[in-house]
Amino acid sequence: MFSFLTRVVQTARCFSTSSALQFPKLKSHNGTKKRWRSIASGKFKRAQAGHKHLNVTKSPSRKNRLAQTVYSHGTQTAKLKKLLPYGSP
């Protein structure tokens, strides 16, 4: 009987006053974390796809264009801010 009461008291104890007021932590999307980086303006940047292999048949200008950084825009930025809640400034 006594051990039951001590367990109830221990679970009801709250050592931090602010922990009850905070929302649960949000999880970042792992696929988005691997592909996108946030920048100071609030947008995101990523590498252009299609640059890693099968480059023999591509023209030099196309390979140069694929080597450039791509930035997010418009509604894409809003979606990325939801997927990476702690990555955006």
Side-chain angles (χ1 to χ4, degrees):
M1 176 80 178
F2 183 73
S3 63
F4 172 73
L5 290 175
T6 56
R7 265 188 273 154
V8 171
V9 171
Q10 286 175 353
T11 56
R13 219 181 256 178
C14 185
F15 294 104
S16 175
T17 57
S18 63
S19 66
L21 302 175
Q22 290 180 351
F23 288 98
K25 290 182 182 178
L26 299 173
K27 289 191 175 184
S28 297
H29 190 267
N30 287 329
T32 309
K33 275 194 298 190
K34 294 170 188 175
R35 290 169 175 84
W36 294 89
R37 300 284 177 260
S38 63
I39 56 177
S41 66
K43 292 185 177 184
F44 294 84
K45 69 176 185 176
R46 67 170 171 87
Q48 179 70 277
H51 182 63
K52 295 291 184 184
H53 58 91
L54 301 175
N55 291 325
V56 176
T57 59
K58 296 174 186 167
S59 67
S61 61
R62 182 178 172 191
K63 286 188 277 189
N64 287 336
R65 190 172 61 248
L66 291 173
Q68 300 299 314
T69 303
V70 180
Y71 298 96
S72 64
H73 54 84
T75 57
Q76 193 176 30
T77 303
K79 288 180 184 178
L80 287 168
K81 285 186 179 182
K82 287 183 180 180
L83 291 170
L84 296 173
Y86 303 109
S88 56

Coordinates of all heavy atoms in Angstrom, one line a residue:
M1 N 0.8 -1.2 0.0 CA 0.0 0.0 0.0 C 0.9 1.3 0.0 O 0.6 2.2 -0.8 CB -0.9 0.0 1.2 CG -1.8 1.2 1.4 SD -3.2 1.1 0.3 CE -4.0 2.5 0.7
F2 N 1.9 1.3 0.8 CA 2.7 2.5 0.9 C 3.5 2.7 -0.4 O 3.7 3.8 -0.8 CB 3.7 2.3 2.1 CG 4.6 3.5 2.3 CD1 4.1 4.7 2.8 CD2 5.9 3.4 1.9 CE1 4.9 5.8 3.0 CE2 6.7 4.5 2.1 CZ 6.2 5.7 2.6
S3 N 4.0 1.6 -1.0 CA 4.7 1.8 -2.3 C 3.8 2.3 -3.4 O 4.3 3.0 -4.3 CB 5.3 0.4 -2.7 OG 4.3 -0.5 -2.9
F4 N 2.6 1.9 -3.4 CA 1.6 2.5 -4.4 C 1.5 4.0 -4.2 O 1.5 4.7 -5.2 CB 0.3 1.8 -4.2 CG -0.8 2.4 -5.1 CD1 -0.8 2.2 -6.5 CD2 -1.8 3.2 -4.5 CE1 -1.7 2.8 -7.3 CE2 -2.7 3.8 -5.3 CZ -2.7 3.5 -6.7
L5 N 1.4 4.5 -3.0 CA 1.2 5.9 -2.8 C 2.5 6.7 -3.2 O 2.4 7.8 -3.7 CB 0.9 6.2 -1.3 CG -0.5 5.7 -0.8 CD1 -0.6 5.9 0.7 CD2 -1.5 6.5 -1.6
T6 N 3.7 6.1 -2.9 CA 4.9 6.8 -3.3 C 5.0 6.9 -4.8 O 5.5 7.9 -5.4 CB 6.1 6.1 -2.7 OG1 6.1 4.8 -3.1 CG2 6.1 6.3 -1.2
R7 N 4.6 5.8 -5.5 CA 4.6 5.9 -7.0 C 3.7 7.0 -7.5 O 4.0 7.7 -8.5 CB 4.2 4.5 -7.6 CG 5.5 3.7 -7.9 CD 5.1 2.5 -8.7 NE 4.8 1.5 -7.6 CZ 4.0 0.5 -7.8 NH1 3.4 0.3 -9.0 NH2 3.7 -0.4 -6.8
V8 N 2.5 7.1 -7.0 CA 1.6 8.1 -7.4 C 2.1 9.5 -7.1 O 2.0 10.4 -8.0 CB 0.2 8.0 -6.7 CG1 -0.7 9.1 -7.0 CG2 -0.4 6.6 -7.1
V9 N 2.8 9.7 -6.0 CA 3.3 11.0 -5.7 C 4.5 11.3 -6.6 O 4.6 12.5 -7.1 CB 3.8 11.0 -4.2 CG1 4.6 12.3 -3.9 CG2 2.6 10.9 -3.3
Q10 N 5.3 10.4 -6.9 CA 6.5 10.6 -7.8 C 6.0 10.9 -9.2 O 6.7 11.8 -9.9 CB 7.4 9.4 -7.8 CG 8.2 9.2 -6.5 CD 9.0 7.9 -6.5 OE1 8.9 7.1 -7.4 NE2 9.8 7.8 -5.5
T11 N 5.0 10.3 -9.7 CA 4.6 10.6 -11.1 C 3.9 12.0 -11.2 O 3.9 12.6 -12.2 CB 3.6 9.5 -11.6 OG1 2.5 9.4 -10.7 CG2 4.3 8.2 -11.8
A12 N 3.3 12.4 -10.1 CA 2.6 13.7 -10.1 C 3.6 14.9 -9.9 O 3.2 16.0 -10.2 CB 1.5 13.7 -9.0
R13 N 4.8 14.6 -9.5 CA 5.8 15.7 -9.3 C 6.3 16.3 -10.6 O 6.5 15.6 -11.5 CB 6.9 15.1 -8.5 CG 7.5 15.9 -7.5 CD 8.7 15.3 -6.8 NE 8.3 14.7 -5.5 CZ 9.1 14.1 -4.7 NH1 10.3 13.8 -5.2 NH2 8.7 13.6 -3.6
C14 N 6.4 17.6 -10.6 CA 6.9 18.3 -11.8 C 8.0 19.2 -11.3 O 7.7 20.2 -10.6 CB 5.7 19.0 -12.5 SG 6.3 19.8 -14.0
F15 N 9.2 19.0 -11.8 CA 10.3 19.7 -11.3 C 10.5 21.1 -12.1 O 11.1 22.0 -11.6 CB 11.6 18.9 -11.5 CG 11.6 17.7 -10.5 CD1 11.4 16.5 -11.0 CD2 11.8 17.9 -9.2 CE1 11.4 15.4 -10.2 CE2 11.8 16.8 -8.3 CZ 11.6 15.5 -8.8
S16 N 10.0 21.1 -13.3 CA 10.1 22.4 -14.0 C 8.7 23.0 -14.2 O 7.8 22.3 -14.6 CB 10.7 22.0 -15.4 OG 10.7 23.2 -16.2
T17 N 8.7 24.3 -13.9 CA 7.4 25.0 -14.0 C 7.0 25.3 -15.5 O 5.9 25.4 -15.8 CB 7.4 26.3 -13.2 OG1 8.5 27.1 -13.7 CG2 7.5 26.0 -11.7
S18 N 8.1 25.4 -16.3 CA 7.8 25.8 -17.7 C 7.5 24.5 -18.6 O 7.1 24.7 -19.7 CB 9.0 26.5 -18.3 OG 10.1 25.7 -18.3
S19 N 7.8 23.3 -18.1 CA 7.6 22.2 -19.0 C 6.1 21.9 -19.3 O 5.8 21.3 -20.3 CB 8.3 20.9 -18.3 OG 7.6 20.6 -17.1
A20 N 5.3 22.2 -18.3 CA 3.8 22.0 -18.6 C 3.3 23.0 -19.6 O 2.2 22.7 -20.2 CB 3.1 22.1 -17.2
L21 N 3.9 24.1 -19.8 CA 3.4 25.1 -20.7 C 3.9 25.0 -22.1 O 3.3 25.6 -23.0 CB 3.8 26.5 -20.2 CG 3.3 26.8 -18.8 CD1 3.8 28.2 -18.4 CD2 1.8 26.8 -18.7
Q22 N 5.0 24.2 -22.4 CA 5.5 24.0 -23.7 C 4.8 23.0 -24.5 O 4.3 22.0 -24.0 CB 7.0 23.6 -23.6 CG 7.9 24.7 -23.1 CD 9.3 24.3 -23.0 OE1 9.6 23.1 -23.2 NE2 10.2 25.2 -22.7
F23 N 4.7 23.2 -25.8 CA 4.1 22.2 -26.7 C 5.1 21.1 -27.0 O 6.3 21.3 -26.7 CB 3.8 22.9 -28.0 CG 2.6 23.8 -27.9 CD1 2.7 25.2 -27.8 CD2 1.3 23.3 -28.0 CE1 1.6 26.0 -27.7 CE2 0.2 24.1 -27.9 CZ 0.4 25.5 -27.7
P24 N 4.7 20.0 -27.5 CA 5.7 19.0 -27.8 C 6.6 19.5 -28.9 O 6.3 20.3 -29.7 CB 4.9 17.8 -28.3 CG 3.5 18.1 -27.9 CD 3.4 19.5 -27.7
K25 N 7.8 18.9 -28.9 CA 8.8 19.3 -29.9 C 8.3 18.8 -31.3 O 7.7 17.7 -31.4 CB 10.2 18.7 -29.6 CG 10.8 19.3 -28.5 CD 12.2 18.7 -28.3 CE 12.9 19.3 -27.0 NZ 14.2 18.7 -26.8
L26 N 8.6 19.6 -32.3 CA 8.2 19.2 -33.7 C 9.4 18.4 -34.3 O 10.5 18.7 -34.1 CB 7.9 20.4 -34.5 CG 6.8 21.3 -34.1 CD1 6.7 22.5 -34.9 CD2 5.5 20.5 -34.2
K27 N 9.0 17.4 -35.1 CA 10.1 16.6 -35.8 C 10.3 17.2 -37.2 O 9.4 17.5 -37.9 CB 9.6 15.2 -35.9 CG 9.6 14.4 -34.6 CD 9.4 12.9 -34.8 CE 9.6 12.2 -33.5 NZ 9.5 10.7 -33.7
S28 N 11.6 17.3 -37.5 CA 12.0 17.7 -38.9 C 11.9 16.5 -39.8 O 12.1 15.4 -39.4 CB 13.4 18.2 -38.8 OG 13.5 19.4 -38.0
H29 N 11.6 16.8 -41.1 CA 11.5 15.8 -42.1 C 12.9 15.4 -42.5 O 13.7 16.2 -43.0 CB 10.7 16.3 -43.3 CG 10.3 15.3 -44.2 ND1 11.1 15.0 -45.4 CD2 9.3 14.4 -44.3 CE1 10.5 14.0 -46.1 NE2 9.4 13.6 -45.4
N30 N 13.2 14.1 -42.4 CA 14.6 13.6 -42.6 C 15.0 13.8 -44.1 O 16.2 14.1 -44.4 CB 14.8 12.2 -42.2 CG 14.8 12.0 -40.7 OD1 15.2 13.0 -40.0 ND2 14.3 10.9 -40.2
G31 N 14.1 13.5 -45.0 CA 14.5 13.7 -46.4 C 14.7 15.1 -46.8 O 15.6 15.4 -47.6
T32 N 14.0 16.0 -46.2 CA 14.2 17.4 -46.4 C 15.5 17.9 -45.8 O 16.2 18.7 -46.4 CB 13.0 18.2 -45.9 OG1 11.8 17.7 -46.3 CG2 13.1 19.7 -46.3
K33 N 15.8 17.4 -44.6 CA 17.1 17.8 -43.9 C 18.3 17.4 -44.8 O 19.3 18.2 -44.8 CB 17.2 17.0 -42.6 CG 16.5 17.6 -41.5 CD 17.0 17.0 -40.1 CE 16.7 15.6 -40.0 NZ 16.9 15.0 -38.7
K34 N 18.2 16.3 -45.5 CA 19.3 15.9 -46.3 C 19.5 16.7 -47.6 O 20.6 16.7 -48.2 CB 19.2 14.4 -46.7 CG 19.3 13.5 -45.4 CD 18.9 12.1 -45.8 CE 18.8 11.2 -44.5 NZ 18.3 9.9 -44.8
R35 N 18.4 17.3 -48.1 CA 18.4 17.9 -49.4 C 18.5 19.5 -49.4 O 19.0 20.1 -50.3 CB 17.2 17.5 -50.2 CG 17.3 16.1 -50.6 CD 15.9 15.6 -51.2 NE 16.0 14.2 -51.7 CZ 16.0 13.1 -51.0 NH1 15.8 13.2 -49.7 NH2 16.0 11.9 -51.6
W36 N 18.0 20.1 -48.3 CA 17.8 21.5 -48.3 C 18.6 22.1 -47.1 O 18.8 21.5 -46.1 CB 16.4 21.9 -48.1 CG 15.5 21.5 -49.3 CD1 14.8 20.4 -49.5 CD2 15.2 22.4 -50.4 NE1 14.1 20.4 -50.7 CE2 14.3 21.7 -51.2 CE3 15.5 23.7 -50.7 CZ2 13.8 22.2 -52.4 CZ3 15.1 24.2 -51.9 CH2 14.2 23.5 -52.7
R37 N 19.1 23.3 -47.3 CA 19.7 24.1 -46.2 C 19.1 25.5 -46.2 O 18.7 26.1 -47.2 CB 21.2 24.3 -46.5 CG 22.0 23.1 -46.6 CD 22.3 22.5 -45.3 NE 23.0 21.2 -45.4 CZ 22.4 20.0 -45.3 NH1 21.1 19.9 -45.2 NH2 23.2 18.9 -45.4
S38 N 18.9 26.0 -45.0 CA 18.3 27.3 -44.9 C 19.3 28.4 -45.0 O 20.5 28.2 -44.7 CB 17.6 27.5 -43.5 OG 18.5 27.4 -42.5
I39 N 18.9 29.6 -45.5 CA 19.8 30.7 -45.7 C 19.2 31.9 -44.9 O 18.1 31.8 -44.4 CB 20.1 31.1 -47.2 CG1 18.8 31.3 -47.9 CG2 20.8 29.9 -47.8 CD1 19.0 31.7 -49.3
A40 N 20.0 32.9 -44.7 CA 19.6 34.0 -43.8 C 18.4 34.8 -44.3 O 17.7 35.4 -43.5 CB 20.8 35.0 -43.7
S41 N 18.1 34.8 -45.6 CA 16.9 35.5 -46.1 C 15.6 34.8 -45.7 O 14.5 35.3 -46.0 CB 17.0 35.7 -47.6 OG 16.9 34.4 -48.2
G42 N 15.7 33.5 -45.2 CA 14.5 32.8 -44.9 C 14.1 31.8 -46.0 O 13.2 31.0 -45.8
K43 N 14.8 31.8 -47.1 CA 14.6 30.9 -48.2 C 15.5 29.7 -47.9 O 16.3 29.6 -47.0 CB 15.0 31.5 -49.5 CG 14.0 32.6 -49.9 CD 14.3 33.1 -51.3 CE 13.3 34.1 -51.8 NZ 13.5 34.5 -53.2
F44 N 15.4 28.7 -48.8 CA 16.2 27.5 -48.7 C 17.0 27.3 -50.0 O 16.6 27.7 -51.1 CB 15.3 26.3 -48.5 CG 14.6 26.3 -47.1 CD1 13.4 27.1 -46.9 CD2 15.2 25.7 -46.0 CE1 12.8 27.1 -45.7 CE2 14.5 25.7 -44.8 CZ 13.4 26.5 -44.6
K45 N 18.1 26.5 -49.9 CA 18.9 26.2 -51.1 C 19.1 24.7 -51.2 O 19.1 24.0 -50.2 CB 20.2 27.0 -51.2 CG 21.2 26.6 -50.1 CD 22.5 27.4 -50.3 CE 23.5 26.9 -49.3 NZ 24.8 27.5 -49.5
R46 N 19.4 24.2 -52.4 CA 19.7 22.8 -52.6 C 20.5 22.7 -53.9 O 20.7 23.7 -54.7 CB 18.4 22.0 -52.8 CG 17.6 22.3 -54.0 CD 16.5 21.3 -54.3 NE 15.6 21.8 -55.4 CZ 15.8 21.5 -56.7 NH1 16.9 20.8 -57.0 NH2 15.0 21.9 -57.6
A47 N 21.1 21.5 -54.1 CA 21.8 21.3 -55.3 C 20.9 20.8 -56.4 O 19.9 20.2 -56.2 CB 22.9 20.2 -55.1
Q48 N 21.2 21.2 -57.6 CA 20.4 20.8 -58.8 C 20.6 19.3 -59.1 O 21.7 18.8 -58.9 CB 20.8 21.7 -60.0 CG 20.1 21.4 -61.3 CD 18.7 21.8 -61.2 OE1 17.8 21.1 -60.7 NE2 18.4 23.0 -61.8
A49 N 19.5 18.7 -59.4 CA 19.5 17.2 -59.7 C 20.0 17.0 -61.1 O 19.9 17.8 -62.0 CB 18.1 16.7 -59.5
G50 N 20.6 15.8 -61.3 CA 21.0 15.4 -62.7 C 22.4 15.7 -63.0 O 22.8 15.7 -64.2
H51 N 23.2 16.0 -62.0 CA 24.6 16.4 -62.3 C 25.6 15.4 -62.0 O 26.8 15.5 -62.4 CB 24.9 17.7 -61.5 CG 26.3 18.3 -61.7 ND1 26.7 18.7 -63.0 CD2 27.4 18.4 -60.9 CE1 28.0 19.2 -62.9 NE2 28.4 19.0 -61.7
K52 N 25.2 14.3 -61.3 CA 26.2 13.3 -60.8 C 26.7 12.3 -61.8 O 27.9 11.9 -61.8 CB 25.6 12.6 -59.6 CG 25.3 13.5 -58.4 CD 26.6 14.0 -57.8 CE 26.3 14.8 -56.5 NZ 27.5 15.3 -55.9
H53 N 25.8 11.8 -62.7 CA 26.2 10.7 -63.6 C 25.6 10.8 -64.9 O 24.7 11.7 -65.1 CB 26.0 9.3 -63.0 CG 24.5 9.1 -62.6 ND1 23.6 8.5 -63.5 CD2 23.8 9.4 -61.5 CE1 22.4 8.5 -62.9 NE2 22.5 9.0 -61.7
L54 N 26.0 10.0 -65.9 CA 25.5 10.0 -67.3 C 25.8 11.4 -67.9 O 24.9 12.0 -68.6 CB 24.0 9.7 -67.3 CG 23.5 8.4 -66.8 CD1 22.0 8.3 -66.8 CD2 24.1 7.2 -67.6
N55 N 27.0 11.9 -67.7 CA 27.3 13.2 -68.2 C 27.9 13.2 -69.6 O 28.2 14.3 -70.1 CB 28.3 13.9 -67.2 CG 27.6 14.2 -65.9 OD1 26.4 14.6 -65.9 ND2 28.3 14.1 -64.8
V56 N 28.2 12.1 -70.1 CA 28.9 12.0 -71.4 C 28.0 12.6 -72.5 O 28.4 13.3 -73.4 CB 29.2 10.6 -71.8 CG1 29.8 10.5 -73.2 CG2 30.2 10.0 -70.8
T57 N 26.7 12.4 -72.4 CA 25.8 12.8 -73.5 C 25.3 14.3 -73.2 O 24.5 14.8 -74.1 CB 24.5 11.9 -73.6 OG1 23.9 11.9 -72.3 CG2 25.0 10.5 -73.9
K58 N 25.6 14.9 -72.1 CA 25.2 16.2 -71.8 C 26.1 17.3 -72.4 O 27.4 17.1 -72.3 CB 25.0 16.4 -70.3 CG 23.9 15.5 -69.7 CD 23.8 15.6 -68.2 CE 22.9 14.5 -67.7 NZ 23.0 14.4 -66.3
S59 N 25.6 18.4 -72.8 CA 26.5 19.4 -73.3 C 27.2 20.1 -72.1 O 26.6 20.1 -71.0 CB 25.7 20.4 -74.1 OG 24.8 21.1 -73.3
P60 N 28.3 20.8 -72.4 CA 29.0 21.5 -71.3 C 28.1 22.6 -70.7 O 28.2 22.8 -69.5 CB 30.2 22.1 -72.0 CG 30.5 21.2 -73.1 CD 29.1 20.7 -73.6
S61 N 27.3 23.3 -71.5 CA 26.5 24.3 -70.9 C 25.4 23.8 -70.0 O 25.1 24.3 -69.0 CB 25.9 25.2 -72.0 OG 25.0 24.3 -72.8
R62 N 24.9 22.6 -70.4 CA 23.9 21.9 -69.6 C 24.5 21.5 -68.2 O 23.9 21.6 -67.2 CB 23.3 20.8 -70.3 CG 22.2 20.0 -69.6 CD 21.6 18.9 -70.4 NE 20.7 18.1 -69.7 CZ 20.2 16.9 -70.1 NH1 20.6 16.5 -71.3 NH2 19.4 16.2 -69.3
K63 N 25.7 20.9 -68.3 CA 26.4 20.5 -67.1 C 26.7 21.7 -66.2 O 26.6 21.6 -64.9 CB 27.7 19.7 -67.4 CG 27.4 18.3 -68.0 CD 28.7 17.5 -68.1 CE 29.3 17.8 -69.5 NZ 30.4 16.9 -69.8
N64 N 27.1 22.8 -66.8 CA 27.4 24.0 -66.0 C 26.1 24.5 -65.3 O 26.1 24.9 -64.1 CB 27.9 25.1 -66.8 CG 29.4 24.9 -67.2 OD1 30.1 24.1 -66.5 ND2 29.8 25.4 -68.3
R65 N 25.0 24.4 -66.0 CA 23.7 24.9 -65.4 C 23.3 23.9 -64.3 O 22.7 24.4 -63.3 CB 22.6 24.9 -66.5 CG 21.3 25.5 -66.1 CD 20.4 25.7 -67.3 NE 20.0 24.5 -67.9 CZ 20.4 24.1 -69.2 NH1 21.2 24.8 -69.9 NH2 20.0 22.9 -69.6
L66 N 23.5 22.6 -64.5 CA 23.1 21.7 -63.4 C 24.0 21.8 -62.2 O 23.7 21.3 -61.1 CB 23.2 20.2 -64.0 CG 22.1 19.9 -65.0 CD1 22.4 18.5 -65.6 CD2 20.8 19.9 -64.4
A67 N 25.2 22.4 -62.3 CA 26.1 22.5 -61.2 C 25.7 23.7 -60.3 O 26.3 23.9 -59.2 CB 27.5 22.7 -61.7
Q68 N 24.8 24.6 -60.7 CA 24.4 25.7 -60.0 C 23.5 25.4 -58.8 O 22.8 24.4 -58.8 CB 23.7 26.7 -60.9 CG 24.5 27.2 -62.1 CD 25.7 27.9 -61.6 OE1 25.7 28.8 -60.8 NE2 26.9 27.6 -62.3
T69 N 23.5 26.3 -57.8 CA 22.6 26.1 -56.7 C 21.2 26.6 -57.0 O 21.0 27.6 -57.8 CB 23.1 27.0 -55.5 OG1 24.5 26.6 -55.2 CG2 22.3 26.8 -54.3
V70 N 20.2 25.9 -56.5 CA 18.8 26.2 -56.8 C 18.2 26.7 -55.4 O 18.4 26.2 -54.4 CB 18.0 25.0 -57.3 CG1 16.6 25.3 -57.5 CG2 18.7 24.5 -58.5
Y71 N 17.4 27.8 -55.5 CA 16.8 28.4 -54.3 C 15.3 28.1 -54.4 O 14.7 28.1 -55.4 CB 17.1 29.9 -54.3 CG 18.5 30.2 -54.2 CD1 19.3 30.5 -55.3 CD2 19.2 30.2 -52.9 CE1 20.7 30.7 -55.2 CE2 20.5 30.4 -52.8 CZ 21.3 30.7 -53.9 OH 22.6 30.9 -53.8
S72 N 14.7 28.1 -53.2 CA 13.2 27.9 -53.1 C 12.5 29.2 -53.4 O 13.1 30.3 -53.3 CB 12.9 27.4 -51.7 OG 13.2 28.4 -50.7
H73 N 11.2 29.1 -53.7 CA 10.5 30.3 -54.0 C 9.0 30.0 -53.7 O 8.5 28.9 -53.7 CB 10.6 30.6 -55.5 CG 10.2 29.5 -56.5 ND1 9.0 29.2 -56.8 CD2 11.0 28.6 -57.0 CE1 9.0 28.1 -57.6 NE2 10.2 27.7 -57.8
G74 N 8.3 31.1 -53.3 CA 6.9 31.1 -53.2 C 6.4 30.1 -52.2 O 6.8 30.0 -51.0
T75 N 5.4 29.3 -52.7 CA 4.7 28.3 -51.8 C 5.7 27.2 -51.4 O 5.5 26.6 -50.4 CB 3.5 27.7 -52.5 OG1 4.0 27.1 -53.7 CG2 2.5 28.8 -52.8
Q76 N 6.7 27.0 -52.2 CA 7.7 26.0 -51.8 C 8.4 26.4 -50.5 O 8.7 25.5 -49.7 CB 8.8 25.9 -53.0 CG 9.7 24.7 -52.9 CD 10.6 24.7 -54.1 OE1 10.9 25.7 -54.7 NE2 10.9 23.5 -54.5
T77 N 8.7 27.6 -50.3 CA 9.3 28.1 -49.1 C 8.4 27.9 -47.9 O 8.9 27.4 -46.8 CB 9.7 29.6 -49.2 OG1 10.6 29.7 -50.3 CG2 10.5 30.1 -47.9
A78 N 7.1 28.1 -48.0 CA 6.2 27.9 -46.9 C 6.1 26.4 -46.5 O 6.1 26.1 -45.4 CB 4.8 28.4 -47.3
K79 N 6.1 25.5 -47.5 CA 6.1 24.1 -47.2 C 7.4 23.7 -46.5 O 7.4 22.9 -45.6 CB 5.9 23.3 -48.5 CG 4.5 23.4 -49.1 CD 4.4 22.6 -50.4 CE 3.0 22.8 -51.0 NZ 2.9 22.1 -52.3
L80 N 8.5 24.2 -47.0 CA 9.8 23.8 -46.4 C 9.9 24.3 -44.9 O 10.5 23.7 -44.1 CB 10.9 24.4 -47.2 CG 11.2 23.7 -48.5 CD1 12.1 24.5 -49.4 CD2 11.7 22.3 -48.3
K81 N 9.3 25.4 -44.6 CA 9.3 25.9 -43.2 C 8.5 25.0 -42.3 O 8.8 24.9 -41.1 CB 8.8 27.3 -43.2 CG 9.7 28.4 -43.7 CD 9.3 29.8 -43.5 CE 10.3 30.7 -44.0 NZ 9.9 32.1 -43.8
K82 N 7.5 24.3 -42.9 CA 6.7 23.4 -42.1 C 7.5 22.1 -41.9 O 7.5 21.4 -40.9 CB 5.4 23.1 -42.7 CG 4.4 24.2 -42.6 CD 3.1 23.8 -43.2 CE 2.1 25.0 -43.0 NZ 0.8 24.7 -43.6
L83 N 8.2 21.7 -43.0 CA 9.0 20.4 -42.9 C 10.3 20.6 -42.1 O 10.8 19.6 -41.5 CB 9.4 20.0 -44.3 CG 8.2 19.5 -45.2 CD1 8.7 19.4 -46.6 CD2 7.7 18.2 -44.7
L84 N 10.9 21.8 -42.0 CA 12.0 22.1 -41.2 C 11.7 23.2 -40.2 O 12.1 24.3 -40.4 CB 13.2 22.5 -42.1 CG 13.8 21.4 -43.1 CD1 14.8 22.0 -44.0 CD2 14.3 20.2 -42.3
P85 N 11.0 22.9 -39.2 CA 10.6 24.0 -38.3 C 11.7 24.7 -37.5 O 11.6 25.9 -37.2 CB 9.6 23.3 -37.3 CG 10.0 21.9 -37.3 CD 10.5 21.6 -38.7
Y86 N 12.8 24.0 -37.3 CA 14.0 24.6 -36.6 C 15.1 25.0 -37.5 O 16.1 25.5 -37.1 CB 14.5 23.6 -35.5 CG 13.4 23.2 -34.6 CD1 12.9 21.9 -34.6 CD2 12.9 24.1 -33.7 CE1 11.8 21.6 -33.8 CE2 11.8 23.8 -32.8 CZ 11.3 22.5 -32.9 OH 10.3 22.1 -32.0
G87 N 15.0 24.7 -38.8 CA 16.0 25.1 -39.8 C 15.9 26.5 -40.3 O 16.8 27.0 -40.9
S88 N 14.7 27.0 -40.3 CA 14.5 28.4 -40.8 C 14.7 29.5 -39.8 O 14.3 29.3 -38.7 CB 13.1 28.5 -41.4 OG 12.1 28.2 -40.4
P89 N 15.4 30.5 -40.2 CA 15.6 31.6 -39.2 C 14.4 32.4 -38.9 O 13.4 32.4 -39.6 CB 16.7 32.5 -39.9 CG 16.7 32.1 -41.3 CD 16.1 30.8 -41.4

